[in-house]
Amino acid sequence: GEALDRALRACVSSDVLAVDLEGVSMSRVGPVTLLQVAARDRVFLFDAQALGTAELFERAVRPESSEDVPENARTLRCVLEDPRITKLMFDCRVDSDALFHQHGVALRGVFDVQLADVASRRRKNLAVPLLSGMPKCAARHLAGASGATKQSLAALDADPDDRSVTRAGAASEAEAVTRVTEHLKTKVKALYAPDKGGDAQLWALRPISEDARRYAALDVWLLLRIHRAMTEDQALDEAWRARVVAASAHRETEYRALDEPVLQFRDPERAVAPDL
């Protein structure tokens, strides 16, 4: 209803979005159950398995800045397929494959933050043989410290609205962000990742647990933060940014063009950093 329209309107009114998906054994054959989108520091969790393709990707709303006329109505599908609108993602290959084969959405306009991290380090003439996960990227670009204790991790896992707990548990906001990222991702991934003994059905369960909700929201929120930090620090010049854009475009179609599906939890070769 109105809440969905408000969320979609915020998404279609932004020229930069952070996007992520969750699902059951995520792939073109493993159902997408949750879509996370961050727009202008607001994070929305869309229940994909409840909404379905029509309500989630084809429901038309008018952008916030446009005249109130039907011609300006837009859908989430339009935004995800528009190369002029930047979609910040973190290794978009499986997500792009799932969106295309399950919902007919041909993702375009991705700026892959994982590849941007590789580029920023190679620009400094560093050897980068392997890709980094989200916690390492957050620590690297948000200037996180590495000396947090087990007590601080426990504090950071407390109620995020209790600011006194967070301040007592971490020396800085950057440390808090990077440490809670690592802690929460490890904690929740153990609940659903098959290679860690988890239940692959976790993301299909309703209601979604509070930890899972935080986990789902965290990635897209962090994508905005990391991208903003890299921009402010001028981590990429125009030439390296162009390389990231080209490599991101390759990732958009890399898996969806294959005859066989690629599952979310793949072999170790996925961790090798590509040439840019």
Side-chain angles (χ1 to χ4, degrees):
E2 292 182 6
L4 177 59
D5 285 340
R6 285 196 299 270
L8 290 173
R9 188 172 295 113
C11 293
V12 304
S13 300
S14 178
D15 57 357
V16 177
L17 300 171
V19 179
D20 192 24
L21 305 174
E22 304 295 347
V24 178
S25 298
M26 268 279 293
S27 67
R28 69 177 64 172
V29 295
V32 173
T33 61
L34 196 68
L35 170 70
Q36 306 99 270
V37 180
R40 300 172 184 168
D41 288 331
R42 288 180 288 178
V43 177
F44 303 98
L45 305 183
F46 295 97
D47 191 340
Q49 70 179 2
L51 292 168
T53 301
E55 283 295 282
L56 180 53
F57 296 107
E58 297 170 1
R59 186 182 180 100
V61 294
R62 285 178 284 277
E64 294 171 346
S65 59
S66 70
E67 297 291 334
D68 190 21
V69 293
E71 288 77 14
N72 286 330
R74 301 197 67 181
T75 66
L76 198 53
R77 177 195 299 279
C78 292
V79 171
L80 294 175
E81 293 183 342
D82 190 338
R84 299 168 298 177
I85 299 174
T86 299
K87 273 72 67 174
L88 304 175
M89 300 184 74
F90 199 88
D91 192 351
C92 69
R93 292 174 289 184
V94 168
D95 291 359
S96 179
D97 190 31
L99 283 172
F100 182 76
H101 287 279
Q102 294 184 37
H103 298 285
V105 175
L107 187 64
R108 296 181 68 194
V110 170
F111 186 83
D112 199 305
V113 173
Q114 187 182 54
L115 296 179
D117 169 69
V118 172
S120 70
R121 289 184 282 156
R122 287 188 177 157
R123 185 191 178 202
K124 299 176 181 177
N125 296 317
L126 300 175
V128 188
L130 301 176
L131 295 166
S132 291
M134 182 68 82
K136 286 186 178 179
C137 287
R140 185 174 295 122
H141 298 287
L142 301 180
S146 59
T149 64
K150 291 183 179 179
Q151 289 78 14
S152 70
L153 291 181
L156 291 172
D157 198 39
D159 185 351
D161 293 328
D162 187 348
R163 301 189 67 82
S164 64
V165 172
T166 300
R167 287 170 182 163
S172 68
E173 182 191 8
E175 180 182 338
V177 168
T178 56
R179 281 292 149 185
V180 78
T181 299
E182 185 176 40
H183 185 51
L184 186 59
K185 288 185 76 67
T186 299
K187 182 179 180 182
V188 176
K189 191 164 285 188
L191 298 178
Y192 79 86
D195 60 343
K196 299 182 182 300
D199 180 3
Q201 298 295 318
L202 174 73
W203 294 110
L205 301 178
R206 298 294 183 270
I208 302 174
S209 72
E210 186 62 27
D211 275 343
R213 286 165 59 89
R214 293 183 189 182
Y215 176 102
L218 182 64
D219 273 359
V220 288
W221 181 77
L222 277 174
L223 283 170
L224 288 180
R225 293 289 298 272
I226 294 170
H227 181 257
R228 184 180 303 154
M230 293 183 74
T231 300
E232 292 173 352
D233 295 340
Q234 298 182 345
L236 300 174
D237 59 20
E238 286 303 314
W240 276 105
R241 182 176 177 82
R243 293 186 188 189
V244 173
V245 170
S248 298
H250 174 71
R251 276 190 164 184
E252 292 168 1
T253 60
E254 184 177 348
Y255 286 177
R256 75 188 191 209
L258 298 175
D259 292 332
E260 298 293 330
V262 178
L263 302 182
Q264 185 176 36
F265 298 99
R266 309 178 293 281
D267 61 67
E269 289 185 3
R270 64 175 291 211
V272 176
D275 292 330
L276 295 176

